[in-house]
Amino acid sequence: MSEKSFKVRNVSISVADTVDEAKTNFANSLEHQAKVSITARNQFLIGVSGGSLIKTLAEEILPKLRTDFNKWKIFFCDERMVPFDHPESTYGLYKEKLLGKFPGLTEETFVPVNISLSVEEAAKDYESKLRSYFPHEYKDPLPAGQAHFPRFDCLLLGLGPDGHTCSLFPGHPLMKEKTLWVAPIKDSPKPPPERVTLTFPVLHKARNIILFLTGEGKADIIKRIIVDCEKLPGFFINTTEPNCDVIWHLDAAAGSKIPRQKNFMESLEPELKEWEDRTPVFQADSKDIAY
Ligand SMILES: O=C(O)[C@H](O)[C@@H](O)[C@H](O)[C@H](O)COP(=O)(O)O
């Protein structure tokens, strides 16, 4: 299996020759993360995105995994504020495609957003649900201006053509959100307009982030983020805390505009460093208790 892979700091990018190879790479990464988490903490707390990931996970990735789904808890990186039987409901689509297909993966595996509330209330309600799964018993209070964030074992993120991820869109005020775990958005440029979304501080706290992107259609935005280092939401995914691994699994078509020479990833380093120097808000609090 020939593929190109590059790594700088905690960001690795693998470009497989074919979609099938990229799927195998994605499945291997996900199986590994689940194994590490379940071995260490007897649970696997994962956040999933909507869009094309749903079908890929259900039909191509989860069937490949050797894992105990009884230990999984599936949260939503974002959710559209529509009824669960609406064709645009992320949870509704996951339920339809996953329930009854994988032993141990039941309705109780999911932690859905309460879409019967207003979008503002749904964000607050989801954050309080998260706090019950990610309790913090801290010895000392945090310094003023710092907040605690949940540490997901894994977040599966998508990437839109404008560089958005979750429901964090370029130029949107939510790009600057530094304290909420879950935020409401009422003007999503990607319909439907009303959603709740995890915020950047939560993404940056995860133990690892995996992206699976294939096809020519993703090549331009990947180039803008990985090569041109445009400060789009997808770029901020790379600037996580040091103890978070970011893994981009691409096929040749999606990675077709990434230079093949080895040293291009080193060019990413100064950009990552410069952004973090300017925005140290996501520093891990040393008293954080590891899960
Ligand atoms: O619910 C959503 O809309 C997603 O969470 C969103 O962030 C998605 O991941 C991207 O828009 C990519 O979507 P595709 O994978 O379908 O291109």
Side-chain angles (χ1 to χ4, degrees), residues 49-53 78 80 90 157-160 164-167 190 195 218:
S49 294
S52 63
L53 178 66
D78 62 342
R80 297 91 175 275
T90 297
L157 300 185
L159 185 68
H164 80 261
T165 192
C166 304
S167 291
K190 176 181 181 182
R195 295 147 169 254
K218 296 291 184 186

Side-chain angles (χ1 to χ4, degrees), residues 266-277:
E266 281 61 56
S267 68
L268 196 57
E269 179 68 45
E271 291 282 345
L272 295 178
K273 193 82 191 70
E274 176 258 334
W275 189 82
E276 284 180 329
D277 289 350

Side-chain angles (χ1 to χ4, degrees), residues 204-263:
H204 287 263
K205 193 77 182 175
R207 292 178 189 281
N208 76 88
I209 288 173
I210 304 176
L211 297 102
F212 172 75
L213 304 169
T214 59
E216 289 291 347
K218 296 291 184 186
D220 276 337
I221 192 59
I222 290 169
K223 175 185 179 297
R224 287 176 61 192
I225 288 171
I226 298 292
V227 184
D228 307 337
C229 295
E230 280 189 46
K231 296 298 184 282
L232 297 169
F235 176 83
F236 295 165
I237 291 171
N238 295 329
T239 58
T240 59
E241 291 176 18
N243 54 359
C244 168
D245 287 332
V246 178
I247 311 160
W248 295 69
H249 282 302
L250 314 179
D251 72 336
S256 56
K257 296 188 176 177
I258 292 180
R260 280 291 181 264
Q261 74 268 16
K262 192 84 181 137
N263 62 359

Side-chain angles (χ1 to χ4, degrees), residues 49-69:
S49 294
S52 63
L53 178 66
I54 302 172
K55 186 172 185 297
T56 302
L57 266 186
E59 297 174 9
E60 310 281 348
I61 305 301
L62 297 189
K64 293 181 174 22
L65 302 191
R66 289 157 302 170
T67 187
D68 179 0
F69 284 111

Side-chain angles (χ1 to χ4, degrees), residues 162-183:
D162 58 355
H164 80 261
T165 192
C166 304
S167 291
L168 299 166
F169 292 89
H172 196 281
L174 277 184
M175 292 287 289
K176 296 186 171 63
E177 176 54 52
K178 292 192 174 67
T179 51
L180 291 176
W181 294 13
V182 183

Side-chain angles (χ1 to χ4, degrees), residues 9-248:
R9 289 184 328 137
N10 59 317
V11 179
S12 59
I13 298 169
S14 85
V15 184
D17 284 345
T18 66
V19 177
D20 283 344
E21 285 176 11
K23 286 172 184 170
T24 301
N25 293 341
F26 179 18
N28 291 341
S29 290
L30 186 54
E31 182 176 295
H32 173 71
Q33 294 308 333
K35 185 173 176 208
V36 166
S37 302
I38 292 169
T39 303
R41 293 173 293 279
N42 200 33
Q43 62 180 12
F44 184 46
L45 305 181
I46 181 171
V48 296
S49 294
S52 63
L53 178 66
I54 302 172
K55 186 172 185 297
T56 302
L57 266 186
E59 297 174 9
E60 310 281 348
I61 305 301
L62 297 189
K64 293 181 174 22
L65 302 191
R66 289 157 302 170
T67 187
D68 179 0
F69 284 111
N70 291 291
K71 308 285 188 190
W72 287 43
K73 210 70 179 165
I74 301 177
F75 302 82
F76 294 90
C77 296
D78 62 342
E79 178 60 285
R80 297 91 175 275
M81 295 302 291
V82 295
F84 291 147
D85 59 1
H86 188 286
E88 290 281 351
S89 167
T90 297
Y91 173 48
L93 289 169
Y94 272 110
K95 261 179 79 174
E96 177 195 318
K97 292 188 175 297
L98 298 190
L99 288 192
K101 307 269 185 6
F102 304 96
L105 201 161
T106 65
E107 274 205 59
E108 286 63 46
T109 307
F110 293 100
V111 182
V113 171
N114 183 347
I115 45 90
S116 65
L117 301 170
S118 71
V119 64
E120 294 84 357
E121 286 307 314
K124 288 188 190 127
D125 176 73
Y126 204 55
E127 180 159 328
S128 65
K129 277 183 185 170
L130 290 183
R131 286 184 185 276
S132 67
Y133 287 96
F134 298 90
H136 285 300
E137 294 87 33
Y138 287 87
K139 291 190 266 320
D140 317 310
L142 270 180
Q146 284 217 13
H148 294 308
F149 298 104
R151 185 189 281 309
F152 282 89
D153 293 316
C154 185
L155 293 175
L156 302 183
L157 300 185
L159 185 68
D162 58 355
H164 80 261
T165 192
C166 304
S167 291
L168 299 166
F169 292 89
H172 196 281
L174 277 184
M175 292 287 289
K176 296 186 171 63
E177 176 54 52
K178 292 192 174 67
T179 51
L180 291 176
W181 294 13
V182 183
I185 176 170
K186 303 178 85 163
D187 56 352
S188 166
K190 176 181 181 182
E194 289 207 344
R195 295 147 169 254
V196 297
T197 181
L198 295 183
T199 59
F200 271 119
V202 175
L203 303 196
H204 287 263
K205 193 77 182 175
R207 292 178 189 281
N208 76 88
I209 288 173
I210 304 176
L211 297 102
F212 172 75
L213 304 169
T214 59
E216 289 291 347
K218 296 291 184 186
D220 276 337
I221 192 59
I222 290 169
K223 175 185 179 297
R224 287 176 61 192
I225 288 171
I226 298 292
V227 184
D228 307 337
C229 295
E230 280 189 46
K231 296 298 184 282
L232 297 169
F235 176 83
F236 295 165
I237 291 171
N238 295 329
T239 58
T240 59
E241 291 176 18
N243 54 359
C244 168
D245 287 332
V246 178
I247 311 160
W248 295 69

